[in-house]
Amino acid sequence: MLAKLNTFSLLGIDAVPVEVEVDVSGAALPKTILVGLPEAAVRESTQRVERALVNSGFRRPQDRVVINLAPGELPKQAASFDLPIALGVLAGSGQLESSLFDRYAVVGELALEGSTRPARGALSMAIAAARQKGLHGLVVPASSAAEAAVVEGLQVIPVSSLSQAAKFFTGEIEIEPTPGRIDELFAELSNYDVDFSDVRGQEMAKRAVTIAAAGGHNLLMLGPPGAGKTMLAKRVPTILPDLSSAESIETTRIYSAMGRLQPGQPLLAVRPYREPHHTISEAGLVGGGNPPTPGEISLAHNGVLFLDELPEFNRRTLEVLRQPLEDGTVTIARAMNSSHFPADFILLAALNPCPCGYRNDPRRDCQCTSPQIDRYMSKISGPLVDRIDIHIEVPAVPFKELANQQPGTPSTTMREQVTLARTAQADRFHGSTTRYNGQMAHREIRQHCQVDAAGLQLLQGAMAELGLSARAHDKVLRVARTIADLDASETIGAAHVSEAVNYRMLDRQMWN
């Protein structure tokens, strides 16, 4: 007999429809053949399925079993084909009859005793199932049901074992679809453990961080060890607006496909924060492999990517950030296909002013020579620095401020300012793909960055004196536009331009 079931295979972070065809026919000796470009994890599924069938009380077919995963030219990976293959074998051998195979897709890995295990990419598969005509629902392992149930308009049927799935398809039992709990999950999981009130002093740095968060600008912090650069970076997500449902699902898809979702956390409700070590490879940072998988910049999508000790990163690794910083996406090209991963994040970078870290520090003597400092700073290219909108110095905090019992500016106050500026940007870019000032293209800068006469004169002088590039000129205007939004000003004034230019002066001093 021939049985056909619907399932899905992950390709990057997207789910692709796959049809599982199982043909069981008489033969002198039992033999199982699996075709359709299966990877190692899929080829091994035949052994898991055979033992799961027997241990669940079913009969192992003593015939020739041919399993085809269509389309044949698409590589199949992951163990989520176990459950549909097992149900297909049962239907092909006459042990199960069902009219529901056309209405429900099936995904899930099986343990040897027949229980189900979580499926990577359940959210992407649920999104694909909701778009596929003719499908009413998706049968998933019970541990992945809450994740898949986030998708509206789709029945998500949780099953904990092969026998339970078989009984559902034969109609012996009815299983209630898992309800979507997006609002409950956001209320439960959208809490941060850190706050900017923990940071003593550094009010100037907090001002720069507020501007960066308000306009989606990249930020570079330069200062001695222990000045608080990492503390500032870890708290940036706390002042960003709450994730919208669309942003949360978009980011959760990436973590789901990578198997990075924590148990009991079917949905990301807070902004992601990623802090990769400086030994990371190019593929680990931007994505790679065959088939391609997302990297750290995609895991930071809609959140923050913090690169501490920036000059310690491999220069070639840093250079691959240039295109994603401009486009908000990364494309991984291979001979057979290309994968596109979202990578819209705020880049925060920190570095010391010299190898020892104490250049220009009044409390400590710097032992570094000029050639050593030049080699240290030359690890960061000018084009990469140009793509970072704001550069600030984070000095060591004096004892008086450390001993002060008064808490610093809290995240709630900074967040109110960010929300005010983001609201103005939402009205400005309504109907456009641009969302923040930091994303404005050259044409949008000309349209929305109207500078008064005094501001234009100041900007002209700064361009000549500092030798700003055309890209740096645009970034000054983007930052000035955000500063004006924080002041609720329609026009960019001289004070706004002056502050924005000051955020470009540090790189001219350190890299020239």
Side-chain angles (χ1 to χ4, degrees):
M1 293 179 62
L2 176 65
K4 294 184 179 181
L5 290 89
N6 295 300
T7 187
F8 295 93
S9 177
L10 277 181
L11 187 63
I13 62 173
D14 299 315
V16 181
V18 172
E19 188 174 46
V20 177
E21 300 174 324
V22 181
D23 182 76
V24 181
S25 56
L29 294 174
K31 186 175 183 180
T32 300
I33 302 173
L34 180 61
V35 297
L37 283 185
E39 301 291 343
V42 184
R43 290 196 300 269
E44 293 172 352
S45 67
T46 57
Q47 310 299 324
R48 291 192 297 270
V49 166
E50 287 180 1
R51 299 322 305 163
L53 288 171
V54 173
N55 293 328
S56 298
F58 297 104
R59 174 177 54 84
R60 174 189 174 188
Q62 299 299 312
D63 298 305
R64 178 186 177 92
V65 180
V66 179
I67 304 165
N68 180 39
L69 306 177
E73 71 273 6
L74 176 71
K76 318 299 189 307
Q77 59 176 343
S80 59
F81 293 99
D82 290 4
L83 187 56
I85 289 175
L87 292 171
V89 170
L90 291 176
S93 60
Q95 301 179 65
L96 183 153
E97 292 185 7
S98 177
S99 60
L100 300 179
F101 286 151
D102 292 335
R103 298 174 56 191
Y104 290 90
V106 185
V107 296
E109 179 183 348
L110 290 175
L112 295 183
E113 77 272 15
S115 62
T116 57
R117 287 176 172 161
R120 287 176 57 177
L123 178 56
S124 294
M125 294 177 183
I127 293 172
R131 294 172 179 169
Q132 187 169 332
K133 292 183 179 180
L135 286 182
H136 293 74
L138 180 68
V139 177
V140 299
S143 52
S144 299
E147 176 188 334
V150 170
V151 180
E152 298 179 351
L154 181 73
Q155 296 181 22
V156 177
I157 307 299
V159 294
S160 57
S161 65
L162 172 60
S163 58
Q164 185 182 19
K167 290 177 181 179
F168 168 76
F169 278 102
T170 57
E172 293 183 38
I173 61 172
E174 291 186 3
I175 302 177
E176 286 294 321
T178 300
R181 301 187 302 117
I182 292 183
D183 294 336
E184 295 178 25
L185 290 172
F186 268 93
E188 178 184 347
L189 302 173
S190 59
N191 298 310
Y192 293 96
D193 298 328
V194 293
D195 194 278
F196 266 106
S197 60
D198 304 330
V199 182
R200 296 290 189 269
Q202 305 296 9
E203 293 302 318
M204 295 298 294
K206 289 183 182 179
R207 166 67 175 176
V209 165
T210 302
I211 296 170
H217 303 289
N218 302 317
L219 172 70
L220 183 145
M221 296 177 285
L222 184 143
K229 301 185 292 295
T230 302
M231 283 189 70
L232 290 166
K234 286 184 176 180
R235 285 155 178 77
V236 171
T238 67
I239 65 173
L240 293 172
D242 291 331
L243 280 172
S244 65
S245 297
E247 288 177 330
S248 178
I249 291 174
E250 189 178 28
T251 307
T252 304
R253 283 181 63 210
I254 302 169
Y255 280 74
S256 173
M258 296 286 288
R260 297 289 188 92
L261 286 179
Q262 299 297 322
Q265 186 185 14
L267 189 71
L268 287 180
V270 296
R271 299 275 175 180
Y273 171 83
R274 304 297 301 178
E275 187 179 348
H277 192 259
H278 61 76
T279 57
I280 192 170
S281 65
E282 298 169 41
L285 186 62
V286 300
N290 194 13
T293 55
E296 286 289 337
I297 63 173
S298 294
L299 291 172
H301 181 59
N302 289 321
V304 173
L305 176 70
F306 178 50
L307 302 182
D308 199 7
E309 304 294 346
L310 189 64
E312 300 299 333
F313 284 79
N314 185 292
R315 176 163 180 160
R316 182 174 171 180
T317 301
L318 291 177
E319 291 305 299
V320 298
L321 284 175
R322 286 158 59 171
Q323 178 262 331
L325 284 174
E326 291 289 331
D327 300 339
T329 60
V330 59
T331 301
I332 309 296
R334 292 293 180 264
M336 297 298 294
N337 59 70
S338 296
S339 297
H340 304 275
F341 301 132
D344 185 8
F345 57 91
I346 295 177
L347 173 66
L348 302 181
L351 71 156
N352 298 328
C354 65
C356 77
Y358 296 105
R359 180 186 178 191
N360 298 329
D361 191 328
R363 304 173 306 166
R364 300 280 295 269
D365 291 332
C366 174
Q367 305 298 326
C368 302
T369 64
S370 294
Q372 286 177 324
I373 296 173
D374 290 341
R375 283 196 300 270
Y376 182 74
M377 288 299 179
S378 66
K379 294 180 181 180
I380 308 171
S381 69
L384 178 62
V385 173
D386 256 358
R387 285 169 168 81
I388 300 178
D389 307 12
I390 301 174
H391 310 90
I392 61 169
E393 187 171 4
V394 183
V397 182
F399 174 79
K400 182 180 179 180
E401 294 185 5
L402 286 175
N404 192 348
Q405 297 300 316
Q406 289 294 113
T409 305
S411 294
T412 51
T413 302
M414 299 169 67
R415 191 174 188 174
E416 290 172 0
Q417 298 173 355
V418 171
T419 302
L420 176 67
R422 289 283 181 104
T423 301
Q425 292 167 65
D427 295 338
R428 179 179 303 125
F429 302 123
H430 181 70
S432 169
T433 56
T434 303
R435 294 186 296 172
Y436 318 125
N437 291 335
Q439 299 174 333
M440 282 193 292
H442 184 70
R443 180 178 298 177
E444 291 170 317
I445 291 174
R446 289 182 174 276
Q447 179 181 353
H448 300 299
C449 297
Q450 302 299 322
V451 187
D452 63 17
L456 280 175
Q457 186 176 0
L458 181 61
L459 181 59
Q460 181 180 3
M463 287 285 295
E465 184 177 341
L466 297 178
L468 298 178
S469 66
R471 180 184 287 114
H473 166 270
D474 286 354
K475 288 192 176 296
V476 166
L477 288 179
R478 292 189 187 107
V479 174
R481 177 68 269 171
T482 301
I483 297 171
D485 288 341
L486 288 169
D487 288 345
S489 173
E490 287 292 331
T491 305
I492 299 174
H496 306 140
V497 173
S498 177
E499 185 175 0
V501 168
N502 282 332
Y503 292 134
R504 298 297 308 185
M505 291 182 67
L506 187 63
D507 63 313
R508 301 300 148 184
Q509 300 169 8
M510 300 302 295
W511 277 272
N512 284 346

